[in-house]
Amino acid sequence: MSDYLDVLMFAALIGAILLGYPVAFTLTGIAVVFAGLGWAFGVFDVSLLGALGQRIFGLLTNDVLIAIPLFVFMGVVLEKSRIAEDLLETMGRLFGSLRGGLGVSVILVGALLAASTGIVGATVVAMGLIALPTMLRNGYSPRLASGVVCTAGTLGQIIPPSTLLIILSDVMSNAYQQAQFRQGLFTIDTISVGQTFAAALLPGLALVVLYAIYMLAKAWITPAAAPALARPEAAPPRARVLAALLPPMILIVAVLGSILGGVATPSEAASVGAIGALLLAALRQNGRPGLIYAGGAALLALAVLARFAPVRLQRDDVTALDWALGALAMVLVAVAVAAIALALGRAWRAEILKPVMTSTLTVTAMIFATILTASVFSLVFRGLGGDTHVEEIIAAMPGGPDGALLFVMALIFVLGFFLDFVEISVILLPLVVPALILMGHDPVWLSILIAINLQTSFLTPPFGFSLFYLRGAAPKEITTGQIYTGVLPFIGLQILGMLVLWQWQGLATWLPAWLF
């Protein structure tokens, strides 16, 4: 029995999670119990637990993970400020006269919200409340409408900036370093968040194209399932379209552009996104917009100044020009601080700030609690020899490296029926990815292939999170069975997307190789 404690440990974890116990408590509890059993059987060295403090300190001071609460804050602010509603209404009127056009507009809005918020729950709920009733009123099949809303909402997992991609880049970078150490290399390469974002961009857009093609084909083959609007509204004026599209587009360019361009680190870019979202939300409240615009311009000017003419007044050779630039910088900071203070005041008066902070704290606490307790679980699992057994299983798979990768992808897909993406990322991937990298698989390409697979976990019945989000927001006439059957074709499209990426690795590796 002592030789199979690691297997029993993993089985006990799955069983406890399926019983409904909170994941963070389950991970720690299972780890403590099996550490005790391993020590009693003489197969676990309890001195390994002394590394826990260092592991926890390393996680809490990880520069990459610091970006998570900031990106969550940005997404919740945009969701609470009703930008999603404007986008849905405007895009629906643009494409309403086209057969299947309303479905295409939902897909495009899902992509835009994914690139500006990255929060699946908020996107699915918003579109479930706004777009789904509209689609039903215009004769869309309940199954098709439910499937489109669920799937478009999950784009926030694969299109950057995404919490999944941030966690995945950290996990994959650590696994890549482990693989290099095992190869005897001392000059270690890493995988940055910027590389992961760049690698996910084209595959994410390819999925959007696949969804849109399917929607148009479905409307052509079965016109009754996705008709054009019975009473198409007049196309919105150009000013209305720009007013709906520009705010999220500016934020997307500011955040992704600063990361992909190497101007800012992920945490710095996330800060830009959080402040930018706050200013955009303030513009939608009553009051003069002058100071908000001035604050945004001041922040942009400060970024340019810091990039091309950094002010360092502590040097000995400071010139009059340096003093002038320093004074200009102080004025810009004062204007920016005043604008941010005004934005915070408006958010508080509009009763936006408190729910935003509560949601941010809840989501961040859930993510970090899972990551921290998974670190305890993985330490005990490795101490019981679990990583060695996992590598032996992967190496024994028929078909060589491709067979091993197919086995891992199938395992992730099946676990997605029961586990959250955070749990799969921080529990399973550190065990299996080093072996796959040692077999010769490109770590950046592997990251995106796994990311699409994890995105699918949001759609897979019976425990896909997007299904639950939509069930809570959908009208009463939509049944759970219709939601489940509606997502099945899109799960097939997800698998097709993974096959395309498997055959054409350049879809994920070309852009990061060019940029970095």
Side-chain angles (χ1 to χ4, degrees), residues 281-297:
L283 287 175
R284 300 178 63 83
Q285 308 302 323
N286 293 328
R288 295 181 179 179
L291 182 57
I292 301 297
Y293 285 123

Side-chain angles (χ1 to χ4, degrees), residues 131-435:
L132 189 54
T134 304
M135 298 174 81
L136 295 176
R137 282 198 306 270
N138 285 277
Y140 270 68
S141 160
R143 290 183 177 85
L144 180 62
S146 301
V148 168
V149 169
C150 263
T151 307
T154 63
L155 287 170
Q157 294 298 90
I158 188 63
I159 295 179
S162 156
T163 303
L164 165 63
L165 295 178
I166 295 172
I167 296 172
L168 199 59
S169 69
D170 184 63
V171 171
M172 296 297 292
S173 183
N174 292 333
Y176 188 29
Q177 292 176 56
Q178 289 179 34
Q180 292 173 92
F181 280 129
R182 294 181 192 178
Q183 290 174 320
L185 301 176
F186 296 99
T187 304
I188 302 299
D189 292 327
T190 60
I191 300 173
S192 68
V193 175
Q195 285 175 287
T196 308
F197 280 6
L201 202 54
L202 293 181
L205 295 177
L207 283 177
V208 174
V209 172
L210 274 179
Y211 299 159
I213 290 174
Y214 171 77
M215 174 55 63
L216 294 174
K218 180 73 173 178
W220 181 67
I221 295 170
T222 315
L229 293 185
R231 297 178 180 177
E233 301 180 39
R238 187 175 302 175
R240 178 66 183 274
V241 175
L242 291 177
L245 288 178
L246 275 182
M249 292 300 295
I250 291 172
L251 206 59
I252 292 167
V253 171
V255 174
L256 286 185
S258 59
I259 294 176
L260 300 181
V263 177
T265 65
S267 54
E268 292 167 348
S271 304
V272 170
I275 295 299
L278 194 61
L279 295 177
L280 289 177
L283 287 175
R284 300 178 63 83
Q285 308 302 323
N286 293 328
R288 295 181 179 179
L291 182 57
I292 301 297
Y293 285 123
L299 289 171
L300 179 61
L302 280 170
V304 173
L305 191 64
R307 176 69 175 173
F308 297 104
V311 179
R312 297 185 178 89
L313 299 179
Q314 72 274 20
R315 298 181 309 179
D316 295 332
D317 57 342
V318 178
T319 63
L321 178 60
D322 292 326
W323 283 109
L325 290 175
L328 174 62
M330 286 188 283
V331 171
L332 293 174
V333 167
V335 173
V337 169
I340 294 170
L342 177 62
L344 287 170
R346 288 185 180 179
W348 178 264
R349 288 191 296 273
E351 298 184 351
I352 292 175
L353 193 58
K354 185 177 179 180
V356 164
M357 298 301 292
T358 302
S359 297
T360 302
L361 182 61
T362 302
V363 174
T364 304
M366 180 272 293
I367 291 173
F368 273 87
T370 306
I371 294 174
L372 288 170
T373 52
S375 181
V376 181
F377 179 90
S378 65
L379 182 64
V380 176
F381 188 78
R382 290 176 186 277
L384 293 173
D387 54 339
T388 304
H389 283 169
V390 169
E391 290 177 10
E392 290 173 353
I393 293 171
I394 292 176
M397 285 294 112
D402 287 342
L405 179 56
L406 185 61
F407 167 75
V408 171
M409 294 296 289
L411 180 61
I412 293 172
F413 184 80
V414 172
L415 288 177
F417 283 72
F418 313 103
L419 302 180
D420 186 9
F421 75 93
V422 179
E423 298 151 17
I424 297 174
S425 298
V426 298
I427 298 171
L428 178 67
L429 296 187
L431 302 175
V432 299
V433 169

